[in-house]
Amino acid sequence: MRFDLMQAIQAVIEAIYHFLWGDLVRIPLPGGSTLGLSLLVLILVPAGVYFTVRTRFLPFRLFPEMMRVTLENNKQSDSEGHISGVQALIVSTACRVGMGNLVGVVAAISAGGAGAVFWMWIMALLGSATAFIEATLAQIYKEKDPLYGGYRGGPAYYLHHLFVKEGSGRRRSVIASLFALSGLVCWCGISQVTANSISSSFENAFHIPPLWSTVALVALAAVIVLRKHATVKVLDRMVPVMAACYFFITLFIIVRNAGQLPGVFGRIFAEAFGLRQAVAGGIGAVIMNGAKRGLFSNEAGSGSAPCAAAAADIDHPAKEGLLQALGVFIDTLVICSCSAMIMLLTPESLTAGLEGMDLLQAAMRYHLGEFGVVFIAVILWLFSFSTFLGILFYARPNVAYLFGDNWLSQTLYKVLALVMLFVGGLAAYQFVWDLGDVGVGLMTVFNMVALFPLAPKALAALRDYEENHLKR
């Protein structure tokens, strides 16, 4: 009976997974082939185009303002529990910059060729406008956090305002609760995947048994996440260092291979607009492989980053929107592009037949010898560990929305995530991975329900900022 129940649950999860990520629409192509588009592709791409137009091409117009706001808000907040706009950006960057920036990019290029990189850049430009809208709404509808201090919010909170009339006395909205629950399910799944990627890379690079690396990982994570305000402080120091290290190592590799760059960029653009590459490396490989395994790791539209954006103590909602829009650029145009360059500057003969982390480690061995293998294992540990810390920060407002303001529910969810971290370090379970994908897919669907009707408020905030606060 128990076995039958588990089979039924798995069947339901697989059905939802295929509904969200499977080919919902097939477009006929020359030669008899077809291009499959999933539900999430059909939601996120038009949304990105729509919000880019409605914000009057914000990613292009206001990029200098994004940089200025980042420099302006780079100080830590003095109040206990309050975080600055840039600290909120660092938390969301910790979650965006994860395994997908490494293995996800490798998978996309393997499936779609070098042209996948171009379409990855295009998706980042479109996604940044969506990130602006959802982060600005998170700021508009944020509220005081009685447990941790400072502020909290996110899609569950602006969904609540959309569906629950003020003064009605209702404490929860069904769709807001579904978003919060989907998020908690997704982040538990990510915990398992995170630990597995760390233990596997350390076993390959240092021959450390998974049990040892996993115990150390869980112990370190517990020390941080079970303390009240340690998560943001640790990420504040870790994320800039790990991102800078990865960027400068990649820059070193690029400079050493500068003579190959014209050929690499020529290949990217040629394959992006070729018929075969448009099919394999455009929508099919970049969006599908990216959204499912991290190439679409900028999270724009999923509703994750607004959970951090709402916590920022900042003087105008649009400022946090601009910061989160910049986060998409950091994730895709910088970090993901670094992984792409490492791959494309490696002779194809050395990586033939390899995939995933093995392929990336082979590329790093070619460029930097055994140091490259060790470096990529350490950087994956940092990327994955920071992701785990970030998702537990995301979980705070959603746990509070579902279960109220109490330390018991907050602590129990952290313990559950730590258990998933331990289990994932010892073995990979495809069911849990699918569960994470289902969670993020449902989050995206529920979040989009709010973004379109509430977008005018975010656009009004943008107009107000440009008219009264923008420094020209």
Side-chain angles (χ1 to χ4, degrees):
M1 182 70 177
R2 187 185 219 175
F3 183 71
D4 291 341
L5 178 61
M6 283 302 299
Q7 282 188 324
I9 293 173
Q10 289 184 15
V12 170
I13 294 298
E14 287 178 10
I16 299 173
Y17 173 84
H18 287 296
F19 175 70
L20 294 169
W21 297 103
D23 295 338
L24 190 65
V25 174
R26 287 188 173 274
I27 301 174
L29 295 170
S33 61
T34 60
L35 175 61
L37 301 178
S38 71
L39 175 63
L40 292 178
V41 170
L42 294 171
I43 292 174
L44 289 171
V45 173
V49 173
Y50 175 74
F51 292 131
T52 299
V53 173
R54 289 298 307 275
T55 58
R56 293 178 294 126
F57 299 90
L58 174 144
F60 307 95
R61 287 192 308 114
L62 296 180
F63 184 80
E65 183 65 10
M66 295 178 197
M67 299 300 297
R68 191 195 68 78
V69 171
T70 302
L71 296 174
E72 175 188 279
N73 288 272
N74 63 359
K75 294 183 179 179
Q76 297 182 4
S77 178
D78 296 328
S79 304
E80 189 75 2
H82 288 256
I83 66 174
S84 69
V86 167
Q87 284 178 308
L89 171 62
I90 286 173
V91 171
S92 62
T93 300
C95 295
R96 289 184 176 114
V97 177
M99 187 178 176
N101 296 85
L102 301 176
V103 181
V105 174
V106 171
I109 294 175
S110 298
V117 179
F118 172 81
W119 295 106
M120 174 180 73
W121 295 335
I122 296 299
M123 291 306 108
L125 294 173
L126 295 177
S128 62
T130 305
F132 171 85
I133 296 293
E134 60 183 0
T136 303
L137 289 175
Q139 272 288 307
I140 292 172
Y141 291 103
K142 70 183 180 182
E143 58 182 49
K144 292 281 188 180
D145 188 336
L147 285 180
Y148 291 95
Y151 299 98
R152 69 177 179 202
Y157 293 80
Y158 53 70
L159 277 163
H160 181 90
H161 282 275
L162 178 63
F163 289 102
V164 177
K165 291 183 179 179
E166 193 171 349
S168 68
R170 286 178 58 194
R171 295 182 59 187
R172 294 177 187 84
S173 155
V174 172
I175 194 166
S177 298
L178 288 173
F179 172 87
L181 183 61
S182 299
L184 298 182
V185 169
C186 167
W187 297 321
C188 268
I190 290 176
S191 300
Q192 187 262 348
V193 175
T194 294
N196 190 258
S197 65
I198 290 174
S199 62
S200 297
S201 65
F202 267 54
E203 187 176 24
N204 291 338
F206 307 113
H207 308 292
I208 298 176
L211 178 62
W212 295 6
S213 60
T214 302
V215 169
L217 173 69
V218 173
L220 179 60
V223 169
I224 296 170
V225 301
L226 294 177
R227 295 177 61 193
K228 189 175 180 181
H229 296 300
T231 297
V232 174
K233 292 177 182 177
V234 170
L235 291 177
D236 212 20
R237 291 161 176 78
M238 179 188 296
V239 173
V241 171
M242 72 181 192
C245 287
Y246 192 54
F247 174 74
F248 284 113
I249 283 289
T250 307
L251 191 62
F252 173 73
I253 291 172
I254 291 172
V255 170
R256 284 187 62 187
N257 297 274
Q260 297 182 44
L261 288 180
V264 167
F265 281 102
R267 182 182 164 196
I268 289 172
F269 290 109
E271 293 191 12
F273 294 102
L275 178 60
R276 180 182 66 83
Q277 291 79 12
V279 174
I283 300 299
V286 176
I287 301 177
M288 290 305 298
N289 286 286
K292 191 167 70 174
R293 286 289 176 261
L295 182 52
F296 208 59
S297 60
N298 57 61
E299 296 184 355
S302 73
S304 293
C307 298
D313 187 2
I314 201 165
D315 59 8
H316 196 286
K319 281 189 176 181
E320 187 59 30
L322 292 171
L323 285 168
Q324 294 298 329
L326 179 65
V328 173
F329 285 101
I330 294 172
D331 172 82
T332 305
L333 297 185
V334 178
I335 304 299
C336 285
S337 295
C338 285
S339 299
M341 287 298 132
I342 290 171
M343 285 294 307
L344 296 176
L345 289 169
T346 304
E348 292 184 61
S349 59
L350 296 180
T351 56
L354 300 177
E355 60 182 23
M357 184 53 62
D358 291 337
L359 195 157
L360 188 58
Q361 287 181 325
M364 288 298 287
R365 181 180 284 110
Y366 168 76
H367 291 296
L368 300 173
E370 289 306 312
F371 169 77
V373 178
V374 172
F375 174 80
I376 209 67
V378 172
I379 214 72
L380 177 64
W381 188 94
L382 292 171
F383 280 18
S384 300
F385 186 64
S386 67
T387 296
F388 178 76
L389 298 181
I391 60 178
L392 284 186
F393 188 91
Y394 284 174
R396 288 181 186 179
N398 295 284
V399 171
Y401 186 83
L402 289 173
F403 304 108
D405 295 310
N406 61 83
W407 287 113
L408 178 61
S409 58
Q410 294 284 340
T411 304
L412 286 176
Y413 184 77
K414 291 175 182 178
V415 171
L416 174 62
L418 289 167
V419 170
M420 293 297 290
L421 195 69
F422 180 78
V423 171
L426 301 182
Y429 296 96
Q430 185 62 41
F431 169 72
V432 178
W433 194 308
D434 290 344
L435 196 62
D437 282 339
V438 166
V440 73
L442 291 175
M443 287 168 64
T444 304
V445 172
F446 297 136
N447 186 42
M448 283 295 166
V449 170
L451 288 196
F452 286 100
L454 293 178
K457 291 186 177 292
L459 295 170
L462 177 60
R463 285 193 298 272
D464 176 75
Y465 181 76
E466 292 194 76
E467 292 171 3
N468 302 308
H469 301 274
L470 183 61
K471 294 183 180 180
R472 301 185 185 278

